[in-house]
PDB file of all heavy atoms in Angstrom:
ATOM      1  N   ARG A  56     -15.667   1.645  14.492  1.00  0.00           N
ATOM      2  CA  ARG A  56     -14.481   1.132  13.816  1.00  0.00           C
ATOM      3  C   ARG A  56     -14.671   1.050  12.322  1.00  0.00           C
ATOM      4  O   ARG A  56     -13.798   1.445  11.538  1.00  0.00           O
ATOM      5  CB  ARG A  56     -14.136  -0.243  14.353  1.00  0.00           C
ATOM      6  CG  ARG A  56     -13.527  -0.233  15.746  1.00  0.00           C
ATOM      7  CD  ARG A  56     -13.349  -1.652  16.262  1.00  0.00           C
ATOM      8  NE  ARG A  56     -12.454  -2.419  15.447  1.00  0.00           N
ATOM      9  CZ  ARG A  56     -11.141  -2.467  15.654  1.00  0.00           C
ATOM     10  NH1 ARG A  56     -10.605  -1.796  16.616  1.00  0.00           N
ATOM     11  NH2 ARG A  56     -10.359  -3.186  14.860  1.00  0.00           N
ATOM     12  N   GLU A  57     -15.825   0.599  11.909  1.00  0.00           N
ATOM     13  CA  GLU A  57     -16.079   0.453  10.474  1.00  0.00           C
ATOM     14  C   GLU A  57     -16.069   1.827   9.786  1.00  0.00           C
ATOM     15  O   GLU A  57     -15.494   2.007   8.714  1.00  0.00           O
ATOM     16  CB  GLU A  57     -17.384  -0.270  10.258  1.00  0.00           C
ATOM     17  CG  GLU A  57     -17.317  -1.724  10.698  1.00  0.00           C
ATOM     18  CD  GLU A  57     -18.656  -2.412  10.563  1.00  0.00           C
ATOM     19  OE1 GLU A  57     -19.566  -1.849   9.930  1.00  0.00           O
ATOM     20  OE2 GLU A  57     -18.798  -3.502  11.099  1.00  0.00           O
ATOM     21  N   GLU A  85       0.128  20.320   1.068  1.00  0.00           N
ATOM     22  CA  GLU A  85      -0.948  19.401   0.661  1.00  0.00           C
ATOM     23  C   GLU A  85      -2.182  20.161   0.214  1.00  0.00           C
ATOM     24  O   GLU A  85      -2.882  19.732  -0.727  1.00  0.00           O
ATOM     25  CB  GLU A  85      -1.329  18.477   1.835  1.00  0.00           C
ATOM     26  CG  GLU A  85      -2.210  17.348   1.400  1.00  0.00           C
ATOM     27  CD  GLU A  85      -1.941  16.072   2.156  1.00  0.00           C
ATOM     28  OE1 GLU A  85      -1.118  16.084   3.097  1.00  0.00           O
ATOM     29  OE2 GLU A  85      -2.595  15.071   1.843  1.00  0.00           O
ATOM     30  N   ASP A  88      -1.523  20.935  -3.276  1.00  0.00           N
ATOM     31  CA  ASP A  88      -1.678  19.743  -4.118  1.00  0.00           C
ATOM     32  C   ASP A  88      -3.118  19.464  -4.411  1.00  0.00           C
ATOM     33  O   ASP A  88      -3.483  19.111  -5.559  1.00  0.00           O
ATOM     34  CB  ASP A  88      -1.039  18.556  -3.432  1.00  0.00           C
ATOM     35  CG  ASP A  88       0.465  18.716  -3.260  1.00  0.00           C
ATOM     36  OD1 ASP A  88       1.031  19.502  -4.038  1.00  0.00           O
ATOM     37  OD2 ASP A  88       1.038  18.033  -2.416  1.00  0.00           O
ATOM     38  N   GLU A  91      -4.194  21.768  -7.055  1.00  0.00           N
ATOM     39  CA  GLU A  91      -3.589  21.470  -8.332  1.00  0.00           C
ATOM     40  C   GLU A  91      -4.278  20.314  -9.021  1.00  0.00           C
ATOM     41  O   GLU A  91      -4.612  20.356 -10.200  1.00  0.00           O
ATOM     42  CB  GLU A  91      -2.090  21.174  -8.120  1.00  0.00           C
ATOM     43  CG  GLU A  91      -1.332  21.032  -9.439  1.00  0.00           C
ATOM     44  CD  GLU A  91       0.156  20.977  -9.171  1.00  0.00           C
ATOM     45  OE1 GLU A  91       0.582  20.671  -8.025  1.00  0.00           O
ATOM     46  OE2 GLU A  91       0.929  21.240 -10.120  1.00  0.00           O
ATOM     47  N   LEU A  99     -12.261  18.594 -16.809  1.00  0.00           N
ATOM     48  CA  LEU A  99     -12.645  17.376 -17.563  1.00  0.00           C
ATOM     49  C   LEU A  99     -14.060  16.974 -17.210  1.00  0.00           C
ATOM     50  O   LEU A  99     -14.881  16.672 -18.111  1.00  0.00           O
ATOM     51  CB  LEU A  99     -11.652  16.241 -17.193  1.00  0.00           C
ATOM     52  CG  LEU A  99     -12.028  14.854 -17.739  1.00  0.00           C
ATOM     53  CD1 LEU A  99     -12.015  14.867 -19.284  1.00  0.00           C
ATOM     54  CD2 LEU A  99     -11.070  13.792 -17.215  1.00  0.00           C
ATOM     55  N   ARG A 103     -17.491  16.969 -19.788  1.00  0.00           N
ATOM     56  CA  ARG A 103     -18.326  15.824 -20.031  1.00  0.00           C
ATOM     57  C   ARG A 103     -19.746  16.012 -19.523  1.00  0.00           C
ATOM     58  O   ARG A 103     -20.696  15.521 -20.090  1.00  0.00           O
ATOM     59  CB  ARG A 103     -17.719  14.566 -19.387  1.00  0.00           C
ATOM     60  CG  ARG A 103     -16.322  14.290 -19.944  1.00  0.00           C
ATOM     61  CD  ARG A 103     -15.775  13.010 -19.394  1.00  0.00           C
ATOM     62  NE  ARG A 103     -16.489  11.853 -19.916  1.00  0.00           N
ATOM     63  CZ  ARG A 103     -15.937  10.664 -20.079  1.00  0.00           C
ATOM     64  NH1 ARG A 103     -14.637  10.520 -19.798  1.00  0.00           N
ATOM     65  NH2 ARG A 103     -16.625   9.673 -20.522  1.00  0.00           N
ATOM     66  N   SER A 152     -18.958   9.687 -15.371  1.00  0.00           N
ATOM     67  CA  SER A 152     -17.776   8.860 -15.054  1.00  0.00           C
ATOM     68  C   SER A 152     -17.756   8.611 -13.558  1.00  0.00           C
ATOM     69  O   SER A 152     -17.552   9.527 -12.762  1.00  0.00           O
ATOM     70  CB  SER A 152     -16.506   9.577 -15.501  1.00  0.00           C
ATOM     71  OG  SER A 152     -15.399   8.984 -14.882  1.00  0.00           O
ATOM     72  N   ARG A 153     -17.957   7.374 -13.193  1.00  0.00           N
ATOM     73  CA  ARG A 153     -17.886   7.031 -11.773  1.00  0.00           C
ATOM     74  C   ARG A 153     -16.543   7.321 -11.181  1.00  0.00           C
ATOM     75  O   ARG A 153     -16.403   7.788 -10.053  1.00  0.00           O
ATOM     76  CB  ARG A 153     -18.289   5.577 -11.547  1.00  0.00           C
ATOM     77  CG  ARG A 153     -19.740   5.385 -11.143  1.00  0.00           C
ATOM     78  CD  ARG A 153     -19.969   4.024 -10.562  1.00  0.00           C
ATOM     79  NE  ARG A 153     -19.924   2.965 -11.562  1.00  0.00           N
ATOM     80  CZ  ARG A 153     -21.003   2.499 -12.194  1.00  0.00           C
ATOM     81  NH1 ARG A 153     -22.176   3.021 -11.927  1.00  0.00           N
ATOM     82  NH2 ARG A 153     -20.907   1.549 -13.071  1.00  0.00           N
ATOM     83  N   ARG A 157     -16.033   9.822  -8.124  1.00  0.00           N
ATOM     84  CA  ARG A 157     -15.465   9.426  -6.840  1.00  0.00           C
ATOM     85  C   ARG A 157     -14.298  10.325  -6.456  1.00  0.00           C
ATOM     86  O   ARG A 157     -14.215  10.811  -5.311  1.00  0.00           O
ATOM     87  CB  ARG A 157     -14.974   7.977  -6.948  1.00  0.00           C
ATOM     88  CG  ARG A 157     -14.316   7.493  -5.681  1.00  0.00           C
ATOM     89  CD  ARG A 157     -13.661   6.130  -5.892  1.00  0.00           C
ATOM     90  NE  ARG A 157     -14.566   5.209  -6.551  1.00  0.00           N
ATOM     91  CZ  ARG A 157     -15.580   4.615  -5.946  1.00  0.00           C
ATOM     92  NH1 ARG A 157     -15.764   4.838  -4.677  1.00  0.00           N
ATOM     93  NH2 ARG A 157     -16.343   3.804  -6.594  1.00  0.00           N
TER      94      ARG A 157
ATOM     95  N   ARG B  56     -15.532  -7.392   7.976  1.00  0.00           N
ATOM     96  CA  ARG B  56     -16.405  -6.243   7.732  1.00  0.00           C
ATOM     97  C   ARG B  56     -15.590  -4.966   7.596  1.00  0.00           C
ATOM     98  O   ARG B  56     -15.843  -4.151   6.693  1.00  0.00           O
ATOM     99  CB  ARG B  56     -17.406  -6.106   8.882  1.00  0.00           C
ATOM    100  CG  ARG B  56     -18.505  -7.103   8.879  1.00  0.00           C
ATOM    101  CD  ARG B  56     -19.341  -6.987  10.137  1.00  0.00           C
ATOM    102  NE  ARG B  56     -19.986  -5.687  10.252  1.00  0.00           N
ATOM    103  CZ  ARG B  56     -21.187  -5.425   9.752  1.00  0.00           C
ATOM    104  NH1 ARG B  56     -21.848  -6.366   9.143  1.00  0.00           N
ATOM    105  NH2 ARG B  56     -21.705  -4.236   9.887  1.00  0.00           N
ATOM    106  N   GLU B  57     -14.608  -4.801   8.463  1.00  0.00           N
ATOM    107  CA  GLU B  57     -13.797  -3.584   8.429  1.00  0.00           C
ATOM    108  C   GLU B  57     -13.002  -3.505   7.114  1.00  0.00           C
ATOM    109  O   GLU B  57     -12.978  -2.449   6.451  1.00  0.00           O
ATOM    110  CB  GLU B  57     -12.853  -3.537   9.622  1.00  0.00           C
ATOM    111  CG  GLU B  57     -13.597  -3.375  10.920  1.00  0.00           C
ATOM    112  CD  GLU B  57     -12.678  -3.462  12.116  1.00  0.00           C
ATOM    113  OE1 GLU B  57     -11.454  -3.437  11.932  1.00  0.00           O
ATOM    114  OE2 GLU B  57     -13.206  -3.567  13.247  1.00  0.00           O
ATOM    115  N   GLY B  66     -13.832   1.699  -3.755  1.00  0.00           N
ATOM    116  CA  GLY B  66     -14.605   1.456  -4.954  1.00  0.00           C
ATOM    117  C   GLY B  66     -14.474   0.062  -5.550  1.00  0.00           C
ATOM    118  O   GLY B  66     -14.837  -0.139  -6.697  1.00  0.00           O
ATOM    119  N   GLU B  85     -16.207   2.619 -17.987  1.00  0.00           N
ATOM    120  CA  GLU B  85     -15.444   2.938 -16.777  1.00  0.00           C
ATOM    121  C   GLU B  85     -13.971   2.680 -16.981  1.00  0.00           C
ATOM    122  O   GLU B  85     -13.121   3.405 -16.474  1.00  0.00           O
ATOM    123  CB  GLU B  85     -15.982   2.152 -15.601  1.00  0.00           C
ATOM    124  CG  GLU B  85     -15.414   2.655 -14.297  1.00  0.00           C
ATOM    125  CD  GLU B  85     -16.388   2.524 -13.160  1.00  0.00           C
ATOM    126  OE1 GLU B  85     -17.507   2.013 -13.361  1.00  0.00           O
ATOM    127  OE2 GLU B  85     -16.054   2.981 -12.036  1.00  0.00           O
ATOM    128  N   ASP B  88     -12.661   5.606 -18.643  1.00  0.00           N
ATOM    129  CA  ASP B  88     -12.547   6.749 -17.701  1.00  0.00           C
ATOM    130  C   ASP B  88     -11.312   6.627 -16.851  1.00  0.00           C
ATOM    131  O   ASP B  88     -10.620   7.610 -16.603  1.00  0.00           O
ATOM    132  CB  ASP B  88     -13.791   6.783 -16.816  1.00  0.00           C
ATOM    133  CG  ASP B  88     -15.057   7.101 -17.580  1.00  0.00           C
ATOM    134  OD1 ASP B  88     -14.910   7.653 -18.693  1.00  0.00           O
ATOM    135  OD2 ASP B  88     -16.140   6.807 -17.108  1.00  0.00           O
ATOM    136  N   GLU B  91      -8.458   7.695 -18.870  1.00  0.00           N
ATOM    137  CA  GLU B  91      -8.489   9.141 -19.138  1.00  0.00           C
ATOM    138  C   GLU B  91      -7.978   9.935 -17.929  1.00  0.00           C
ATOM    139  O   GLU B  91      -7.173  10.848 -18.080  1.00  0.00           O
ATOM    140  CB  GLU B  91      -9.896   9.550 -19.514  1.00  0.00           C
ATOM    141  CG  GLU B  91     -10.005  10.976 -20.000  1.00  0.00           C
ATOM    142  CD  GLU B  91     -11.348  11.271 -20.572  1.00  0.00           C
ATOM    143  OE1 GLU B  91     -12.321  10.526 -20.304  1.00  0.00           O
ATOM    144  OE2 GLU B  91     -11.466  12.278 -21.332  1.00  0.00           O
ATOM    145  N   LEU B  99       1.583  14.700 -14.372  1.00  0.00           N
ATOM    146  CA  LEU B  99       1.820  15.682 -13.283  1.00  0.00           C
ATOM    147  C   LEU B  99       2.703  15.060 -12.221  1.00  0.00           C
ATOM    148  O   LEU B  99       3.693  15.648 -11.797  1.00  0.00           O
ATOM    149  CB  LEU B  99       0.479  16.106 -12.687  1.00  0.00           C
ATOM    150  CG  LEU B  99       0.573  16.957 -11.449  1.00  0.00           C
ATOM    151  CD1 LEU B  99       1.271  18.288 -11.760  1.00  0.00           C
ATOM    152  CD2 LEU B  99      -0.806  17.209 -10.852  1.00  0.00           C
ATOM    153  N   ARG B 103       6.726  16.140 -11.170  1.00  0.00           N
ATOM    154  CA  ARG B 103       7.162  16.539  -9.819  1.00  0.00           C
ATOM    155  C   ARG B 103       8.155  15.564  -9.271  1.00  0.00           C
ATOM    156  O   ARG B 103       9.068  15.914  -8.527  1.00  0.00           O
ATOM    157  CB  ARG B 103       5.928  16.626  -8.910  1.00  0.00           C
ATOM    158  CG  ARG B 103       4.961  17.669  -9.395  1.00  0.00           C
ATOM    159  CD  ARG B 103       3.832  17.838  -8.446  1.00  0.00           C
ATOM    160  NE  ARG B 103       4.258  18.473  -7.231  1.00  0.00           N
ATOM    161  CZ  ARG B 103       3.462  19.248  -6.526  1.00  0.00           C
ATOM    162  NH1 ARG B 103       2.241  19.470  -6.891  1.00  0.00           N
ATOM    163  NH2 ARG B 103       3.904  19.795  -5.418  1.00  0.00           N
ATOM    164  N   SER B 152       3.510  14.559  -3.322  1.00  0.00           N
ATOM    165  CA  SER B 152       2.134  14.975  -3.063  1.00  0.00           C
ATOM    166  C   SER B 152       1.343  13.765  -2.563  1.00  0.00           C
ATOM    167  O   SER B 152       1.125  12.806  -3.300  1.00  0.00           O
ATOM    168  CB  SER B 152       1.536  15.518  -4.338  1.00  0.00           C
ATOM    169  OG  SER B 152       0.110  15.591  -4.230  1.00  0.00           O
ATOM    170  N   ARG B 153       0.924  13.860  -1.298  1.00  0.00           N
ATOM    171  CA  ARG B 153       0.165  12.759  -0.772  1.00  0.00           C
ATOM    172  C   ARG B 153      -1.165  12.604  -1.534  1.00  0.00           C
ATOM    173  O   ARG B 153      -1.654  11.506  -1.742  1.00  0.00           O
ATOM    174  CB  ARG B 153      -0.141  12.978   0.716  1.00  0.00           C
ATOM    175  CG  ARG B 153       0.842  12.240   1.625  1.00  0.00           C
ATOM    176  CD  ARG B 153       0.327  12.182   3.029  1.00  0.00           C
ATOM    177  NE  ARG B 153       0.433  13.474   3.721  1.00  0.00           N
ATOM    178  CZ  ARG B 153       1.462  13.828   4.479  1.00  0.00           C
ATOM    179  NH1 ARG B 153       2.453  12.989   4.607  1.00  0.00           N
ATOM    180  NH2 ARG B 153       1.502  14.997   5.069  1.00  0.00           N
TER     181      ARG B 153
END
Side-chain angles (χ1 to χ4, degrees):
Chain A
R56 285 174 63 89
E57 293 176 12
E85 190 146 4
D88 295 339
E91 187 169 19
L99 172 63
R103 300 185 69 150
S152 164
R153 261 196 287 266
R157 176 189 313 284
Chain B
R56 285 174 62 91
E57 293 174 12
E85 190 147 4
D88 294 339
E91 187 170 20
L99 173 62
R103 298 184 71 150
S152 164
R153 262 195 286 267

